[in-house]
């Protein structure tokens, strides 16, 4: 990013009139000429709904600015796992990270409400919450967080997370007993799996394939598109619809970069991100169907889980431990319909 900067001493030498002229010149240069290439990253490959939505957002930015702002996408964990992605965004080494709300809980505790098992009644409920005032408030909390160093741009859909493993179908809570299941890096998720009787093992998405291959874990849990596109079915062919988590994705922007941009550019980024949220949603529903089809073709054993109440009862301790501090927010979410 080429930016014109003028040090203080030169400014003093130039005098007040010149300062005004220089400031105006700076503004013109940074808004009219300097090319801005925003580095974006995602754990998923090209074509995955979240990746595609951000690529399309880049095209819109290019069009709106006549090529001045563009997005360079680094898909497939090319810049590391989600933990690394967050760190790089905080430093300004990359600008856009598409991550799950999952690892955001330790940073902005309110996000852990979205991470509570069975907090949303169904996908429509979840969409209403993220599209409405609660969703905006939480994005705002992130943006205003004094040390997070991130701007919350928008959410995206990520369906429902189901348990998969290499041993057997899970039809009741007891079936999880003794299974080592990879969970996302947030103590809430390990507690969730442990309360269901399994052994929750926290690790990055980038380490999961290897861990399944070597038997470090028996399986994991995720939505159909992640399971299918990550080829996890090769190592864990039992996919059981436990539906225990429904965690939205989030698009975050490096605050360091954002703060250096003009108001107009900031607004354009926020606007195109909001559009990306809805565009991704369409792509998501198509992809869920395609992934399920591919899974069945690959010989995955998919089973429904009807004993939902038993699963909900088992995770009560997680709600007590991680939800108690957010009772008002939980009640507001429950009241959305
Ligand atoms: C996926 C999500 C990723 C990542 C992954 C995981 O559903 O899209 O951002 O969080 O799950 O399990 O780590």
């Amino acid at each position: 990013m080429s930016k014109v900067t003028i040090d203080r001493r030169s400014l003093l030498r130039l005098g007040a009139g010149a300062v005004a002229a220089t400031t105006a010149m700076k503004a013109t240069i940074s808004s009219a000429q300097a090319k801005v290439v925003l580095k974006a990253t995602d754990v998923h490959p090209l074509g995955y709904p979240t990746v595609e939505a951000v690529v399309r957002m880049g095209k819109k930015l290019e069009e709106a600015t006549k090529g001045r702002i563009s997005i360079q996408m680094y898909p497939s964990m090319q810049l590391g796992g989600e933990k690394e992605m967050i760190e790089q965004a905080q430093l300004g080494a990359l600008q856009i990270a598409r991550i799950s709300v999952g690892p955001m809980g330790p940073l902005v505790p309110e996000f852990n409400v979205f991470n509570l098992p069975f907090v949303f009644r169904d996908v429509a409920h979840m969409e209403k919450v993220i599209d409405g005032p609660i969703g905006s408030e939480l994005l705002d909390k992130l943006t205003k967080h004094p040390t997070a160093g991130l701007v919350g741009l928008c959410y995206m859909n990520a369906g429902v997370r189901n348990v998969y493993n290499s041993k057997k179908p899970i039809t009741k809570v007891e079936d999880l007993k003794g299974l080592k299941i990879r969970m996302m890096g947030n103590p809430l998720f390990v507690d969730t799996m442990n309360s269901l009787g399994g052994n929750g093992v926290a690790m990055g998405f980038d380490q999961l394939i290897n861990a399944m291959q070597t038997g470090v874990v028996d399986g994991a849990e995720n939505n159909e598109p992640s399971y299918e596109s990550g080829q996890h079915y090769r190592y864990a062919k039992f996919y059981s619809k436990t539906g225990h988590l429904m965690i939205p994705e989030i698009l975050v922007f490096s605050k360091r970069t954002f703060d250096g941009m003009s108001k107009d550019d900031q607004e354009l980024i926020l606007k195109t991100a909001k559009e990306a949220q809805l565009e991704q949603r369409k792509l998501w529903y198509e992809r869920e169907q395609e992934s399920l089809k591919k899974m069945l073709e690959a010989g995955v054993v998919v089973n429904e889980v009807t004993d939902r109440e038993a699963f909900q009862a088992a995770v009560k301790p997680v709600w007590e431990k991680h939800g108690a501090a957010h009772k008002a927010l939980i009640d507001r979410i429950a009241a959305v319909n």
Side-chain angles (χ1 to χ4, degrees):
M1 205 191 296
S2 66
K3 247 191 161 181
V4 177
T5 44
I6 292 173
D7 67 37
R8 242 184 124 239
R9 235 181 306 153
S10 332
L11 285 177
L12 289 176
R13 250 186 284 127
L14 286 166
V19 171
T22 313
T23 312
M25 182 182 84
K26 251 174 87 176
T28 319
I29 287 173
S30 63
S31 69
Q33 287 162 25
K35 283 220 173 213
V36 179
V37 180
L38 305 171
K39 257 182 161 180
T41 191
D42 196 308
V43 295
H44 298 300
L46 284 177
Y48 194 92
T50 50
V51 180
E52 180 58 24
V54 173
V55 167
R56 291 186 190 182
M57 173 180 163
K59 292 203 179 112
K60 280 193 188 169
L61 287 173
E62 269 186 77
E63 269 169 35
T65 62
K66 300 198 173 59
R68 184 173 52 83
I69 303 181
S70 60
I71 289 182
Q72 171 74 51
M73 169 57 74
Y74 294 83
S76 306
M77 303 185 249
Q78 281 175 20
L79 304 181
E82 295 203 345
K83 193 169 161 279
E84 291 77 26
M85 284 160 52
I86 296 172
E87 284 163 7
Q88 290 174 69
Q90 289 171 324
L91 293 172
L94 65 84
Q95 283 66 49
I96 301 177
R98 202 291 309 153
I99 50 176
S100 168
V101 164
M104 298 307 283
L107 210 56
V108 177
E110 286 81 358
F111 273 129
N112 264 346
V113 175
F114 288 177
N115 292 332
L116 286 171
F118 305 107
V119 71
F120 299 113
R121 292 186 297 274
D122 49 31
V123 175
H125 180 211
M126 184 276 294
E127 286 180 354
K128 271 220 155 144
V129 172
I130 60 172
D131 292 349
I134 298 176
S136 309
E137 275 167 40
L138 263 58
L139 283 181
D140 233 45
K141 273 234 150 71
L142 172 62
T143 304
K144 293 197 177 124
H145 190 285
T147 56
L150 300 170
V151 174
L153 293 185
C154 68
Y155 297 99
M156 290 186 177
N157 279 43
V160 175
R161 294 176 79 100
N162 300 305
V163 172
Y164 46 91
N165 79 97
S166 59
K167 308 271 193 233
K168 60 184 178 200
I170 308 298
T171 56
K172 46 189 190 315
V173 178
E174 293 71 44
D175 294 332
L176 283 164
K177 204 168 172 59
L179 289 181
K180 287 173 282 176
I181 303 292
R182 176 268 171 176
M183 304 300 285
M184 278 192 277
N186 175 341
L188 189 155
F189 300 129
V190 172
D191 288 344
T192 299
M193 186 42 65
N194 292 350
S195 72
L196 289 167
N199 294 329
V201 182
M203 67 174 70
F205 194 64
D206 49 324
Q207 295 157 2
L208 177 54
I209 272 278
N210 208 6
M212 286 199 291
Q213 231 165 349
T214 53
V216 168
V217 293
D218 300 308
E221 43 80 64
N222 221 315
N223 50 54
E224 290 88 347
S226 294
Y227 172 74
E228 172 266 310
S229 96
Q231 305 205 351
H232 297 175
Y233 54 85
R234 289 174 173 231
Y235 311 99
K237 73 165 187 171
F238 298 103
Y239 189 87
S240 308
K241 296 207 157 182
T242 46
H244 53 287
L245 293 168
M246 197 184 295
I247 308 173
E249 315 276 33
I250 181 170
L251 207 59
V252 298
F253 201 95
S254 168
K255 196 179 256 174
R256 250 195 197 186
T257 311
F258 202 77
D259 288 348
M261 298 181 99
S262 72
K263 192 105 199 81
D264 285 352
D265 286 353
Q266 291 178 344
E267 269 160 23
L268 183 65
I269 285 167
L270 289 166
K271 177 177 159 279
T272 47
K274 288 283 176 232
E275 290 166 9
Q277 170 162 336
L278 296 180
E279 216 164 314
Q280 187 267 355
R281 189 164 291 173
K282 274 190 255 139
L283 298 169
W284 178 259
Y285 286 124
E286 287 161 20
R287 181 57 182 251
E288 267 187 329
Q289 293 311 314
E290 277 166 35
S291 294
L292 184 60
K293 192 163 165 267
K294 281 193 191 157
M295 284 159 56
L296 295 172
E297 279 165 10
V300 172
V301 181
V302 179
N303 72 282
E304 296 296 328
V305 177
T306 47
D307 197 9
R308 194 49 63 77
E309 281 92 59
F311 281 79
Q312 282 172 321
V315 297
K316 270 195 112 188
V318 180
W319 278 66
E320 278 151 24
K321 181 169 168 192
H322 299 276
H326 308 291
K327 187 160 181 327
L329 182 56
I330 291 173
D331 289 347
R332 279 178 68 204
I333 291 178
V336 173
N337 56 41

